[in-house]
Amino acid sequence: MYLQCCILPFSHDLTVFFSQTNSHTDQVRNTYQLMHTHQTVDFVRRKMEHWCKLDHAQLTMLECLEELNNLVDESDPDVDVPNIYHAFQTAESVREKHPDKDWLHLTGLIHDAGKIMAIWGEPQWCVVGDTFPTGCQPAESVVFRHSTFQDNPDMKDPKFNTKLGMYEENCGLDKVLMSWGHDEYMYHVLKGNNTKLPEEALYVIRFHSFYPWHGSGDYDYLCNNKDREMLAWVKEFNKFDLYSKADDLPDIEALKPYYQGLIDKYIPGKLRW
């Protein structure tokens, strides 16, 4: 059993976290400053062209997760251990509450696997952190919305700096160009490798970092009915993503056989990354 930490959802209220300034808070703030300066429509399109070819490596899912032993997320104020521990913590928390939904257990395990881009050389500001739609004005709930977008060139372009920007109202999130990060990359890895995970799992993985939407209720004007139906799953998953960052670390070796069975069921073998 894990001892749950008392933590604050980062994207919902920054007051407590930033009431004290230290090297960790400065690092988080700097990650978002770089993200909100450089994540433009053109930038995201170039990253999709580069990464979505899935020609960077061939790894099993567990091999990818083991690579995350070398990664600590610079954008997360609640975690200062390698990301693989958070993967197993999340999965086990989901498993405890939803014992009959093995696809959701596996979703918990792999939801951050796209962060392997940082191991392969991408700066963390285009891998980790809360995501947001590019090509339109950032909503009020986007973290540091009023202090970090001033040097983003899209915010000076009338095609992109209005509420809807380049989108039509209720166009659907599938037609929205999200900021580039591990969510979108992992979604394309799964689709490109013909995963047997259900659509709900793909939605969770693609949008679990889109806190302005599932945490604050913004951007509904870009959503269609399908997005609104899937929102309940993203919200449910978020309970475990946020509140599974525990002090007691899981025994990963003891848990591997169970999760290897799920991997074999839903995303077996070597995957193209």
Side-chain angles (χ1 to χ4, degrees), residues 11 130 138-145 211-213 216-219:
S11 301
D130 296 3
E140 284 296 316
S141 64
V142 173
V143 61
F144 301 127
R145 183 250 186 272
Y211 282 91
W213 176 51
S216 299
D218 277 330
Y219 293 108

Side-chain angles (χ1 to χ4, degrees), residues 2-5 78-79 81-96 105 108-109 111 240-252 255 259:
Y2 296 133
L3 174 65
Q4 298 296 313
C5 292
D78 303 313
V79 171
V81 297
N83 210 256
I84 191 172
Y85 287 103
H86 172 57
F88 278 91
Q89 286 171 338
T90 304
E92 283 295 281
S93 295
V94 173
R95 185 180 175 189
E96 181 180 357
H105 309 168
L109 184 73
H111 74 284
F240 309 105
D241 190 15
L242 277 175
Y243 294 106
S244 64
K245 298 166 185 177
D247 290 328
D248 292 343
L249 298 180
D251 185 343
I252 291 174
L255 294 171
Y259 287 99

Side-chain angles (χ1 to χ4, degrees), residues 167-225:
Y167 306 110
E168 295 182 3
E169 191 166 4
N170 304 126
C171 61
L173 293 181
D174 192 53
K175 295 181 180 177
V176 170
L177 195 66
M178 298 296 295
S179 57
W180 181 252
H182 68 281
D183 303 49
E184 190 71 16
Y185 178 53
M186 192 62 210
Y187 167 77
H188 285 282
V189 168
L190 292 171
K191 291 281 285 185
N193 284 281
N194 299 314
T195 179
K196 297 174 185 175
L197 283 166
E199 185 178 23
E200 292 85 352
L202 297 179
Y203 248 81
V204 166
I205 285 167
R206 193 176 196 182
F207 297 115
H208 71 271
S209 298
F210 189 13
Y211 282 91
W213 176 51
H214 67 71
S216 299
D218 277 330
Y219 293 108
D220 183 70
Y221 46 85
L222 296 179
C223 296
N224 59 23
N225 289 335

Side-chain angles (χ1 to χ4, degrees), residues 43-101:
F43 175 86
V44 173
R45 286 173 175 163
R46 284 187 283 114
K47 288 299 176 186
M48 292 188 73
E49 172 67 19
H50 176 70
W51 285 102
C52 293
K53 294 175 183 177
L54 305 181
D55 59 359
H56 293 83
Q58 291 195 20
L59 299 170
T60 68
M61 185 56 68
L62 273 183
E63 286 172 341
C64 175
L65 292 173
E66 286 164 358
E67 288 288 323
L68 295 180
N69 268 321
N70 301 311
L71 178 69
V72 175
D73 188 332
E74 293 177 355
S75 74
D76 195 332
D78 303 313
V79 171
D80 58 4
V81 297
N83 210 256
I84 191 172
Y85 287 103
H86 172 57
F88 278 91
Q89 286 171 338
T90 304
E92 283 295 281
S93 295
V94 173
R95 185 180 175 189
E96 181 180 357
K97 297 295 184 182
H98 296 284
D100 60 328
K101 294 182 175 62

